[in-house]
Every structure is written in C-alpha cells, then in structure tokens.
Amino acid sequence: MNARIRVLLVEDDLRVARVNRDLLERDPDVHVVGSAATCAQGDALAQALKPDLILLDVHLPDGSGLGLLRHWRAHGLTTDVALITAADDENSVRLALAHGAFDYLIKPFTGARLQDLLARHRTRRLPGPGAARLDQGRLDRLLGHGAAQPAALPRGIDPNTLDRVVQALQGAAQSVTAEEIGEQVGLSRVTAWRYLEHLVRSEQATLEHQYGNAGRPVKLYRARTP
C-alpha cells in the first residue's frame, strides 16, 4: 500500500479549498491535515504540522505564495510544494520552479490532473532519515533519470485506481476474475474488467480462459512476473 500523504492547503478562497479537499480525499491514502487562508497561517501550519505536501496559491491576502515559498526554502523547509493558482503568467511559473516547486496547476484544472500531481509526489518521496543511504541507481529512479516517462493512461483509467487493481492482482495467490478483483478493490465487475484488460494490453497481466460445461468461458487474470 502507498504511504499516506499528509497535505496542507494554502488557499484564501474557502469554497475552492473545500472543493480541493474533497478531490484530494477521494484517494483513501490522502489526508488534508490543515487549511490556511493567508501566508502567515500557511507558514505557521507548515512548521507545526510538517505535512508531506503543500498545495499553495499565489495570490493571498497578506502577500504572495511565491514569497512564502522562497521564505520556506531559505529556512531549510524541503517539503514538496506545488502551486495551484489562477496566476498563469510565465514569470510566476518560472519563479515557482526556481524556488523549488515540483508542479504547477493553473485553475481551473481537472481531477485527473490533480491525481497526476499526487502520483508525481509519490514517485519523489525519499526514504526517512533513518533509512539506508541511497545509491546512485535508486536516486536516479527517484529523480526520473535513466528511464522513459510512463505513457499517458487511456481515458477512463485513473492512476490511483489502477495502482489498487495492480496491488490486488499482484497479491492474488492464483488467477482471479474481474468480479473477484472488483470485490477486493471496491469496483463494479465491469470497471474492474476494464482495468484488467488495460493491464493485459500493456503486458502487465496475462489472460487465460477457463472453459466449463456450458456458457461463456470465464476470464482469469494473473499479474505478469518480471
């Protein structure tokens, strides 16, 4: 299972903050631990809560989110920060990236794009301070070097749901049906079948048919071994 992501929202529009919270917490592994409406509140909560991820607006009542991001970096805060803002000018984007933001979403954005942001954050997460030292190969994979970027997922395939289906399939002791995967992951049989067929097409799973005495053959899926 994915480690839980603790998120801090810094957004002065309470309606937008509420919508973003709802979108984020559709993922059971994401928890919004705090919400701030100003730079001062955001700074205080970032220091007190130590979230894994901060989603930051640019235009705030008492200053600029870009200035807050610069302040954090100058004081050694290395938490992943992504901008979610209506600021669509090139200068804001350049400053955000220069100050260490790893992603930038321009409002309005889609739920799928927000899920992509979370997936990118997950790939960037480093081991904790007590973990073994990184070798260059492991670090390169975390930084996205030396490997092709994953292909865009087909329409209707959510990356987080796909992760859950993959985990369920890999954890199965034997070949399973779409209905069995659906019951385990909390999906309908048809939805689970769609994800399993995607895994077959992308060569991450194998498909076999079990023929009985009557009726259609049963489709059985198994995770492909490396």
Side-chain angles (χ1 to χ4, degrees), residues 2-19:
N2 292 315
R4 195 162 208 204
I5 301 174
R6 301 171 66 254
V7 181
L8 170 64
L9 298 177
V10 185
E11 165 65 62
D12 67 319
D13 187 320
L14 298 182
R15 182 187 60 83
V16 171
R18 190 180 309 114
V19 170

Side-chain angles (χ1 to χ4, degrees), residues 5-183:
I5 301 174
R6 301 171 66 254
V7 181
L8 170 64
L9 298 177
V10 185
E11 165 65 62
D12 67 319
D13 187 320
L14 298 182
R15 182 187 60 83
V16 171
R18 190 180 309 114
V19 170
N20 289 347
R21 176 191 290 267
D22 291 343
L23 286 172
L24 288 162
E25 292 190 337
R26 288 179 184 177
D27 185 326
D29 295 318
V30 175
H31 177 50
V32 176
V33 294
S35 184
T38 66
C39 289
Q41 292 173 358
D43 189 28
L45 287 179
Q47 304 298 337
L49 298 175
K50 302 192 184 322
D52 303 304
L53 172 64
I54 300 174
L55 301 183
L56 176 64
D57 197 359
V58 169
H59 302 300
L60 295 167
D62 58 343
S64 167
L66 295 173
L68 180 57
L69 175 59
R70 182 171 62 249
H71 165 78
W72 283 335
R73 295 315 190 214
H75 288 80
L77 184 74
T78 59
T79 303
D80 261 1
V81 177
L83 276 292
I84 294 184
T85 178
D88 57 1
D89 59 290
E90 182 178 345
N91 189 55
S92 292
V93 176
R94 288 184 177 276
L95 284 173
L97 298 178
H99 295 321
F102 81 96
D103 207 345
Y104 197 110
L105 270 63
I106 298 173
K107 300 174 183 175
F109 53 88
T110 65
R113 182 61 180 85
L114 183 60
Q115 292 301 317
D116 176 67
L117 184 154
L118 291 172
R120 291 190 61 212
H121 166 72
R122 283 188 171 100
T123 65
R124 292 165 49 85
R125 297 184 77 171
L126 293 166
R133 289 180 177 273
L134 293 166
D135 59 30
Q136 189 65 52
R138 167 68 172 154
L139 181 56
D140 285 347
R141 286 191 294 275
L142 287 167
L143 296 175
H145 298 315
Q149 294 298 311
L153 292 174
R155 185 179 182 87
I157 300 294
D158 173 72
N160 293 294
T161 303
L162 183 61
D163 284 344
R164 290 159 54 205
V165 172
V166 169
Q167 290 168 12
L169 194 61
Q170 291 176 342
Q174 57 188 10
S175 299
V176 291
T177 65
E179 185 174 6
E180 289 169 330
I181 288 294
E183 289 177 354

